[in-house]
Amino acid sequence: MKTFKVNVNDKSYVVEVEEVKYGYSFTAAVKPAQVTANIKKVGDSKKKAVGGSFIIKAPLPGLIVEVAVESGKAVKQGEKVLVLEAMKMENAILTPVSGIVDKINVRAGDSVNSNQEMIVITF
Amino acid sequence: MSNDNNNTVGLILDALKFKDQKLNLAGGEAAIEKQHAQGKLMARERVLALVDEGSFEEIDKFVKHRGTYFGLDKKEIPYDAVITGFGTANGQKIAIFSQDFTVQAGSLGEMHAKKIMKLQDLALKYGIPIIGINDSGGARIQEGIDALFGYGGIFLRNTHASGVIPQISVISGPCAGGAVYSPAIMDFIIMVDEISQMFITGPAVVKAVTNEEIDKDGLGGAMIHNSISGVAHFIAKSDEDAMNLTRKILSYIPSNNQYKAEDIAYNAQQQLDERIYSIVPTYPKKAFDVRNIITLVFDAETFLEVQPYFAQNIVIGFARIAGRSVGIIANQPNILAGVLDINASDKSARFIRFCDAFNIPIITFVDTPGFLPGVDQEHGGVIRHGAKLLYAYSEASVPMVSIILRKSYGGAYIAMASQHLGADFVYAWPSAEIAVMGANGAANIIFAKEITNSPNPEETRATKIEEYKNKFSNPYIAAERGYIEGVIDPIDTRKIIIKALSLAEDKVEMRPKKKHGNIPL
């Protein structure tokens, strides 16, 4: 269970989020208003496609040693997008989809946690 | 014989033929057409695709249900919706049951279950593998708790047969509720892509209870169970593909736990060549695909990967070496650095126990940085899951050969079929690093004082790491202790495995008498 603060029309809501296998169930707990929402996603949590974009997340906690792509450039499925040093290994992270690199959230030298969003690819 | 008698015999035979043909109509033309339109084979077609031509011998074709509630007494349910019998696959005797979805949705009632139970009893008595082809809407609700009696009896027999005869389950349609547990107790599950699903409760119940919206395939389709849940072991493109895969799996395993799988002819000229040197990168932090080593070392085109999409950080599968069937366990540096985690432990431990139960020697390739650290893993019970791997290797009494390719540290060194857990032969390549922990971690602990007191801690740290690496990140200390049998030229790997297996072929392990162990589940 994680707690998030969400601002809607200048009003703050504190929301508790529980991650379940195939979806997120949101239960709002705190004032000023009671909010209940259900947001669903289907499929592999790693391959979370939201409106034609794909988020590459860190599979292991580690250190970014190389970012192999540039923002705005096209990438092909299976291409190396970055190298993550973790568990005594330099792990090549490949993109599972072809598309355009939309966002790069990490730089060489950055430490990342598991599941941290690193690169967004739109397709 | 008189003419009269001939005529009578003729009439009697006609009556038999008529009854038999009526049963062959299965669920009727419309249902058959619907089945085919979905890309599915008929229950009988599946059986015939599985067995050697002309070998199928059906039993209990005339069995009829005894249900009387809800108009069931007026219902014709040919062979009570399941075909049972015997045949051969690659010349090996097998027992088969195949549920017929065109007949009352392949639903399981009392007699349907009794047919399966009888087949299970006979397969166990004869010591032959049993193959179940599942395509059923589930329990026949009209028969009430008689259907539950049926499932229970099947589970009991599945469990009693476990480790005695091989049991393979093919899911060729829906398999929901109680029906899932028979396949789950069996040894291998093959799911046919797009036409099969497995779940305890379907999307409607999931929606009602947890308010999650998901379709059947997203909940329990073939790829979900092959990649995420680890419930299934193989994914087949079609019914035909599933039957071929079943035959292929059967070719590696003996008929029962009293036998060894039969050796087959092999190319005695096959040898490793220089290519073996180019697979493992000299830079120890660089990954590679361990399957490239497997395909070179074992007999050409004999490697059959099991669960290729689940816990890909460990590779398991069957292969042959010098014609002999073996099971392979190999860390996969290409995925998650080849770490051992909860899923990798579960996946490999179960396979080790299968191989051990059926006298299939185990070859292990080691290159792992260790068990995966993290809150998810610890809270998920990596201790009890990882323990399964150690337990399975320690328990195994089949010949075991291990090849340490590169990293082999700490607990993972012990876990990955070390001599200490009972491996017969452990060899290391010169690139192996066998140590209590990685150089960075070890240097930080051993030289903690020197590093902090140094005027230039970073430099001292680097020197000490290098020092530790040179001294301990190699296979020679382990070899000096006799913890490994030797350090070998990689090009000799195939030769050495063949020799080791032939030496340990008739290995006998004495174990204390017990009812059964208590594997940490």
Side-chain angles (χ1 to χ4, degrees):
Chain A
M1 191 78 82
K2 282 181 177 164
T3 309
F4 290 90
K5 204 171 120 186
V6 182
N7 292 317
V8 182
N9 299 333
D10 295 331
K11 274 187 188 167
S12 288
Y13 299 88
V14 176
V15 187
E16 284 185 330
V17 182
E18 180 189 18
E19 193 177 352
V20 290
K21 195 81 191 171
Y22 290 104
Y24 293 124
S25 66
F26 280 40
T27 354
V30 189
K31 290 165 213 169
Q34 294 289 320
V35 177
T36 316
N38 281 297
I39 295 181
K40 273 140 211 138
K41 70 191 167 66
V42 171
D44 182 351
S45 62
K46 229 168 78 190
K47 293 170 190 166
K48 185 169 38 163
V50 184
S53 71
F54 186 92
I55 302 163
I56 297 175
K57 295 178 175 181
L60 291 165
L63 187 78
I64 306 290
V65 291
E66 183 197 338
V67 176
V69 292
E70 283 171 46
S71 201
K73 291 272 163 70
V75 285
K76 276 209 188 97
Q77 182 184 0
E79 197 175 322
K80 179 172 85 178
V81 291
L82 49 80
V83 178
L84 172 70
E85 185 171 332
M87 294 304 289
K88 306 181 181 89
M89 291 280 280
E90 288 175 2
N91 304 284
I93 307 296
L94 317 176
T95 168
V97 295
S98 301
I100 306 289
V101 178
D102 183 33
K103 238 197 256 170
I104 303 178
N105 299 331
V106 290
R107 277 185 306 186
D110 285 358
S111 290
V112 291
N113 280 323
S114 224
N115 286 325
Q116 188 170 327
E117 297 184 354
M118 302 190 295
I119 288 180
V120 180
I121 292 175
T122 53
F123 55 89
Chain B
M1 228 187 274
S2 75
N3 236 356
D4 234 19
N5 198 23
N6 271 352
N7 283 341
T8 320
V9 170
L11 285 174
I12 294 169
L13 286 180
D14 280 347
L16 167 64
K17 221 181 265 169
F18 176 75
K19 273 178 181 287
D20 193 66
Q21 278 168 354
K22 207 170 146 205
L23 291 171
N24 284 344
L25 296 176
E29 239 166 74
I32 294 173
E33 216 165 273
K34 199 171 162 201
Q35 177 91 351
H36 283 153
Q38 291 173 316
K40 292 159 77 167
L41 288 181
M42 287 293 292
R44 193 171 301 278
E45 291 167 339
R46 289 170 177 153
V47 171
L48 296 179
L50 172 63
V51 299
D52 299 332
E53 210 184 325
S55 73
F56 185 61
E57 208 45 59
E58 186 170 358
I59 59 168
D60 294 342
K61 193 173 184 175
F62 294 108
V63 165
K64 238 176 148 169
H65 74 88
R66 307 193 293 181
T68 51
Y69 301 129
F70 310 106
L72 214 52
D73 45 346
K74 290 181 193 73
K75 264 242 150 81
E76 287 279 345
I77 305 177
Y79 39 86
D80 212 37
V82 63
I83 296 167
T84 56
F86 301 93
T88 61
N90 323 301
Q92 188 183 19
K93 290 192 269 280
I94 54 171
I96 314 132
F97 69 86
S98 179
Q99 295 178 311
D100 191 339
F101 197 85
T102 68
V103 180
Q104 197 75 14
S107 59
L108 181 138
E110 179 203 9
M111 297 310 278
H112 178 123
K114 277 194 170 159
K115 283 180 69 174
I116 296 176
M117 287 185 232
K118 178 177 178 184
L119 191 78
Q120 290 178 296
D121 290 338
L122 292 174
L124 188 60
K125 206 187 293 187
Y126 303 156
I128 59 175
I130 185 163
I131 318 299
I133 305 167
N134 297 262
D135 188 3
S136 163
R140 194 174 298 151
I141 308 296
Q142 297 90 326
E143 292 195 27
I145 53 169
D146 286 335
L148 302 186
F149 143 83
Y151 281 123
I154 293 169
F155 303 158
L156 181 82
R157 283 162 181 79
N158 279 138
T159 307
H160 289 174
S162 181
V164 184
I165 52 169
Q167 305 182 79
I168 300 174
S169 190
V170 180
I171 316 295
S172 282
C175 181
V180 299
Y181 283 119
S182 169
I185 298 171
M186 292 167 87
D187 297 305
F188 295 108
I189 296 180
I190 300 170
M191 289 185 75
V192 183
D193 201 16
E194 289 176 358
I195 64 167
S196 72
Q197 298 94 27
M198 293 178 81
F199 32 69
I200 302 280
T201 52
V205 177
V206 169
K207 164 96 174 126
V209 175
T210 67
N211 213 13
E212 292 164 300
E213 245 172 69
I214 191 153
D215 63 6
K216 279 195 289 189
D217 270 322
L219 184 62
M223 206 48 187
I224 294 292
H225 285 310
N226 270 276
S227 61
I228 296 177
S229 72
V231 165
H233 303 83
F234 298 95
I235 184 162
K237 290 191 274 301
S238 62
D239 276 336
E240 287 94 340
D241 191 31
M243 296 307 130
N244 288 334
L245 200 50
T246 308
R247 291 171 64 94
K248 174 105 177 152
I249 298 164
L250 284 168
S251 75
Y252 293 95
I253 55 190
S255 292
N256 63 58
N257 66 345
Q258 302 296 307
Y259 290 92
K260 289 177 185 170
E262 289 202 21
D263 293 356
I264 60 165
Y266 67 102
N267 172 11
Q269 306 305 315
Q270 190 184 333
Q271 280 183 12
L272 281 174
D273 58 39
E274 309 274 84
R275 280 176 299 166
I276 195 80
Y277 295 126
S278 58
I279 299 171
V280 177
T282 40
Y283 180 51
K285 286 184 177 176
K286 215 164 161 219
F288 64 94
D289 189 340
V290 75
R291 289 174 299 187
N292 291 335
I293 291 179
I294 294 170
T295 46
L296 284 184
V297 168
F298 294 89
D299 295 354
E301 279 157 37
T302 59
F303 178 51
L304 174 67
E305 190 170 352
V306 176
Q307 290 191 304
Y309 303 104
F310 176 66
Q312 293 177 305
N313 39 328
I314 203 152
V315 171
I316 61 172
F318 295 106
R320 287 185 179 270
I321 187 159
R324 192 192 302 256
S325 173
V326 294
I328 297 169
I329 314 282
N331 304 119
Q332 173 59 291
N334 243 359
I335 309 285
L336 294 175
V339 292
L340 291 175
D341 57 8
I342 291 171
N343 287 344
S345 303
D346 283 5
K347 170 178 168 180
S348 45
R350 185 160 160 80
F351 187 64
I352 291 163
R353 299 187 93 217
F354 175 82
C355 291
D356 186 47
F358 292 103
N359 313 312
I360 299 168
I362 297 163
I363 317 294
T364 305
F365 293 90
V366 187
D367 182 6
T368 175
F371 281 95
L372 178 61
V375 177
D376 284 356
Q377 288 290 311
E378 296 292 351
H379 289 190
V382 67
I383 295 175
R384 70 187 162 89
H385 292 284
K388 293 175 197 175
L389 181 57
L390 284 89
Y391 191 106
Y393 271 128
S394 302
E395 181 187 44
S397 60
V398 289
M400 289 196 278
V401 183
S402 310
I403 309 289
I404 302 176
L405 306 172
R406 218 162 53 165
K407 294 186 204 53
S408 183
Y409 288 108
Y413 152 73
I414 308 170
M416 289 304 296
S418 64
Q419 217 185 56
H420 321 305
L421 297 191
D424 296 283
F425 294 94
V426 182
Y427 289 101
W429 284 12
S431 47
E433 304 166 18
I434 308 170
V436 69
M437 63 191 295
N440 288 21
N444 280 335
I445 295 169
I446 299 170
F447 306 110
K449 256 196 201 143
E450 277 147 288
I451 292 169
T452 12
N453 295 340
S454 159
N456 192 342
E458 278 320 303
E459 201 174 287
T460 314
R461 191 195 312 274
T463 326
K464 291 295 177 192
I465 289 172
E466 203 48 38
E467 202 180 301
Y468 185 92
K469 211 180 272 173
N470 291 338
K471 211 161 184 179
F472 298 103
S473 295
N474 63 58
Y476 295 102
I477 306 225
E480 283 168 20
R481 295 287 194 276
Y483 293 157
I484 58 175
E485 272 55 43
V487 183
I488 60 169
D489 183 336
I491 211 159
D492 294 330
T493 306
R494 177 176 162 88
K495 218 162 52 191
I496 282 173
I497 296 175
I498 294 173
K499 268 195 198 148
L501 288 180
S502 114
L503 272 169
E505 191 172 26
D506 298 316
K507 173 183 177 185
V508 178
E509 286 270 16
M510 291 303 190
R511 293 286 156 79
K513 209 174 157 220
K514 58 177 149 183
K515 196 169 169 193
H516 59 69
N518 186 14
I519 187 166
L521 296 174

